[in-house]
């Protein structure tokens, strides 16, 4: 670590943070330091990331700034590269960037752009402006949800507009995203959500036909010059099935779509975006078009698939922020199978036989990466954690596969 003139400071302790830490370690051989609300098993007992501060009140602006200033005061001599790894942390950083810009190395967008992109109802207005298609969408509020009637039928997607507020609420059978099959389920789900502390807008959407393999995820890095440096598309094989994981990706094969990539490049550069961006979308067989669901203003939880394909996310960030190097523009086209689940789960639950065969071929070619298992970080405790984690996935897919209702 002495030969590198910066220290990665990760905001977050989850699987996303671990993926970024792994990217930093593979490229520079350094250990990342992490600060978060609490310790999570994804970054525990690791040689490549050390959780140096846990602050339960980190989402409070004053505490956030105080914590980061105090940490910086004890780590002088090297540049501190600040890397948000969650929606809550990117919002905190955007709001408080003026208080931290002379202490840490980072670049981010302003608060107006953040609000236009992070709240889903605002994002769909942006989609209209730029000609992006998205599912038929409606919204309801705490004030009108009992009388509100969506203008389309079932099945229907129900999800929060404010993901940070929703993450902090609690109610029985809570799921990250719900699918209501009929009017009765729809009413029960809304009653449950608004019976909790969540009182923000809910997004209601038509269900785009097709299983998990119709989902796509696109990751981009935009430099501090507001030019896109990297775009990488992934085809999802399976999503997670646990209540808290629905909508998160569990297995991905890198894809390639030049037309889509160039359209995203033009969009990101036109709005003056800076940093990592992550788009969730679904391929609609009815018209052969991609339908956008949301944009995350950070690298996605599954974004290590980009590094696994040979396009190290940490290098793009460091070249831009630390070394002020222009890497040009790249559309990723290398293929690899990225996964957080056992191979046998992929073989059992992926319905498209051609995708199973492609996955097996990539495995045979050695182009297979398990995101949470890294040979350079395979101490006994992490090996035990990984084994338990994989057994957990086998059990949860058996128990939860296809259950996206209030049950």
């Amino acid at each position: 670590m002495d030969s590198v003139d910066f220290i990665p400071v990760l905001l977050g302790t989850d699987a996303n943070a671990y993926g970024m830490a792994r990217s930093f370690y593979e490229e520079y051989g350094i250990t990342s330091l992490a600060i978060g609300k609490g310790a999570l098993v994804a970054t525990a007992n690791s040689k490549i990331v050390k959780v140096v501060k846990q602050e339960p009140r980190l989402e409070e602006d004053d505490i956030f700034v105080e914590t980061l200033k105090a940490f910086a005061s004890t780590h002088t001599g090297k540049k501190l590269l600040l890397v948000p790894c969650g929606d809550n942390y990117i919002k905190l950083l955007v709001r408080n960037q003026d208080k931290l810009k002379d202490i840490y190395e980072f670049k981010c967008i302003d608060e107006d752009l953040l609000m236009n992109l992070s709240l889903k109802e605002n994002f769909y207005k942006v989609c209209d402006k730029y000609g992006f298609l998205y599912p038929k969408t409606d919204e309801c509020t705490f004030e009108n949800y009992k009388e509100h009637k969506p203008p389309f039928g079932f099945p229907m997607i129900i999800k929060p507009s404010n993901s940070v507020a929703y993450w902090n609420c609690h109610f029985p059978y809570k799921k990250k995203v719900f699918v209501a099959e009929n009017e009765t389920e729809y009413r029960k789900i809304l009653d449950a959500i608004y019976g909790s502390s969540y009182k923000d807008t809910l997004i209601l959407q038509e269900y785009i036909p097709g299983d998990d393999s119709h989902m796509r995820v696109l990751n981009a890095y935009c430099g501090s010059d507001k030019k896109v440096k990297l775009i990488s598309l992934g085809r999802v094989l399976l999503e997670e099935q646990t209540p808290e994981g629905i909508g998160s990706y569990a297995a991905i094969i890198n894809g390639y779509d030049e037309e889509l990539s160039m359209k995203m490049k033009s969009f990101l550069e036109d709005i003056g975006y800076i940093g990592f961006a992550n788009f969730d979308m679904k391929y609609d067989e009815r018209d052969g078009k991609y339908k956008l669901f949301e944009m995350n203003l950070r690298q996605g939880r599954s974004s290590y698939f980009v590094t696994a394909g040979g396009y190290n996310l940490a290098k793009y960030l460091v070249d831009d922020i630390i070394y002020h190097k222009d890497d040009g523009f790249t559309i990723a086209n290398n293929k690899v199978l990225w996964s957080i689940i056992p191979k046998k789960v992929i073989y059992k639950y992926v319905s498209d036989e051609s995708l199973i065969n492609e996955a097996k071929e990539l495995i045979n070619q050695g182009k297979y990466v398990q995101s949470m298992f890294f040979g350079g970080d395979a101490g006994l405790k992490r090996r035990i954690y990984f084994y338990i984690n994989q057994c957990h996935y086998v059990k949860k897919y058996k128990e939860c596969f296809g259950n996206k209702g209030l049950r």
Side-chain angles (χ1 to χ4, degrees):
M1 201 166 180
D2 290 340
S3 62
V4 178
D5 60 352
F6 68 92
I7 300 173
V9 182
L10 310 181
L11 296 177
T13 60
D14 64 357
N16 187 4
Y18 188 80
M20 283 305 300
R22 184 169 173 179
S23 295
F24 278 109
Y25 188 84
E26 290 177 351
E27 186 67 29
Y28 303 103
I30 58 177
T31 298
S32 298
L33 305 181
I35 298 172
K37 289 179 62 178
L40 298 175
V41 291
T43 49
N45 304 305
S46 172
K47 298 176 183 177
I48 67 172
V49 55
K50 180 180 179 182
V51 180
V52 293
K53 180 65 177 179
Q54 301 172 46
E55 173 48 68
R57 296 171 58 196
L58 194 59
E59 288 182 339
E60 299 175 28
D61 288 87
D62 291 345
I63 300 297
F64 177 75
V65 173
E66 289 174 12
T67 300
L68 289 182
K69 284 185 174 181
F71 172 82
S73 69
T74 61
H75 290 78
T76 57
K78 289 189 177 184
K79 296 177 181 178
L80 300 177
L81 178 60
L82 200 56
V83 188
C85 297
D87 295 324
N88 51 347
Y89 297 120
I90 187 63
K91 290 180 179 180
L92 284 161
L93 182 58
V94 167
R95 288 199 301 265
N96 297 287
Q97 57 184 293
D98 288 343
K99 300 173 183 177
L100 297 169
K101 64 183 181 181
D102 296 328
I103 305 172
Y104 288 90
E105 302 293 327
F106 67 91
K107 295 286 184 181
C108 61
I109 58 176
D110 61 36
E111 193 166 1
D112 287 341
L113 184 55
L114 179 139
M115 296 305 294
N116 278 333
L117 298 174
S118 62
L119 292 178
K120 293 181 178 65
E121 64 264 36
N122 292 343
F123 176 62
Y124 294 133
K125 294 175 184 176
V126 174
C127 287
D128 287 333
K129 178 179 177 181
Y130 286 92
F132 292 117
L133 299 177
Y134 55 91
K136 293 177 183 176
T137 300
D138 192 27
E139 59 186 59
C140 68
T141 66
F142 175 67
E143 290 74 23
N144 73 4
Y145 82 95
K146 289 184 180 296
E147 299 79 27
H148 185 75
K149 295 185 180 298
F152 43 83
F154 299 95
M156 183 188 303
I157 303 290
I158 302 171
K159 57 187 178 182
S161 173
N162 188 332
S163 57
V164 175
Y166 189 72
W167 179 259
N168 290 319
C169 82
H170 304 279
F171 58 91
Y173 309 113
K174 177 185 172 184
K175 292 182 173 65
K176 185 179 176 182
V177 177
F178 285 99
V179 177
E181 298 290 344
N182 51 53
E183 177 78 16
T184 301
E185 282 193 353
Y186 166 75
R187 293 296 170 190
K188 286 182 178 179
I189 292 168
L190 263 59
D191 284 341
I193 295 173
Y194 281 132
S196 74
S197 62
Y198 186 83
K199 297 295 186 284
D200 285 1
T201 301
L202 287 175
I203 302 297
L204 313 173
Q205 285 184 328
E206 68 166 332
Y207 179 79
I208 304 298
D211 62 14
D212 292 353
S213 67
H214 288 67
M215 293 298 299
R216 303 289 188 273
V217 55
L218 185 144
N219 287 273
Y221 181 73
C222 305
S224 52
D225 60 358
K226 301 181 181 179
K227 299 295 182 182
V228 177
K229 307 303 178 184
L230 174 69
I231 284 183
S232 180
L233 180 67
R235 179 171 185 177
V236 177
L237 275 65
L238 281 175
E239 293 183 353
E240 288 200 49
Q241 301 294 314
T242 57
E244 67 280 2
I246 291 173
S248 296
Y249 305 126
I252 293 172
I253 293 177
N254 308 61
Y256 184 87
D257 188 314
E258 184 174 358
E259 180 181 355
L260 174 65
S261 298
M262 294 307 295
K263 188 173 183 179
M264 286 299 184
K265 178 178 185 292
S266 296
F267 162 66
L268 289 165
E269 291 182 350
D270 192 65
I271 64 174
Y273 193 78
I274 298 172
F276 290 110
N278 170 261
F279 296 88
D280 295 317
M281 62 190 78
K282 192 170 186 178
Y283 180 74
D284 191 341
E285 287 186 335
R286 297 173 298 181
D287 58 10
K289 305 289 187 182
Y290 294 109
K291 306 296 170 65
L292 262 65
F293 287 166
E294 64 182 349
M295 175 182 179
N296 298 304
L297 313 185
R298 52 171 172 77
Q299 68 284 76
R301 186 171 176 269
S302 61
S303 292
Y304 183 77
F305 86 84
V306 182
T307 294
Y311 308 89
N312 191 294
L313 292 176
K315 183 179 187 301
Y316 278 91
L317 180 64
V318 171
D319 281 353
D320 178 37
I321 303 300
I322 300 297
Y323 299 133
H324 311 294
K325 177 183 175 183
D326 187 350
D327 288 324
F329 172 61
T330 299
I331 302 176
N333 60 5
N334 295 337
K335 277 197 173 185
V336 68
L337 170 61
W338 168 93
S339 177
I340 60 171
I341 55 178
K343 299 172 191 175
K344 64 181 180 181
V345 172
I346 296 174
Y347 302 154
K348 181 174 181 179
Y349 292 98
V350 173
S351 60
D352 187 329
E353 195 67 31
S354 66
L355 283 178
I356 295 175
N357 291 335
E358 185 175 8
K360 289 180 178 179
E361 181 62 27
L362 289 169
I363 291 169
N364 290 337
Q365 294 174 6
K367 297 178 179 180
Y368 170 64
V369 173
Q370 251 285 354
S371 193
M372 298 306 297
F373 183 82
F374 175 40
D377 192 26
L380 178 60
K381 288 184 178 179
R382 281 203 69 85
R383 287 178 179 272
I384 293 171
Y385 155 70
F386 180 75
Y387 175 77
I388 294 172
N389 171 267
Q390 296 298 282
C391 292
H392 175 80
Y393 274 123
V394 172
K395 178 182 178 183
K396 286 300 182 181
Y397 270 83
K398 183 177 181 180
E399 293 176 349
C400 303
F401 189 74
N403 177 10
K404 296 181 179 181
L406 191 70
R407 59 187 186 275

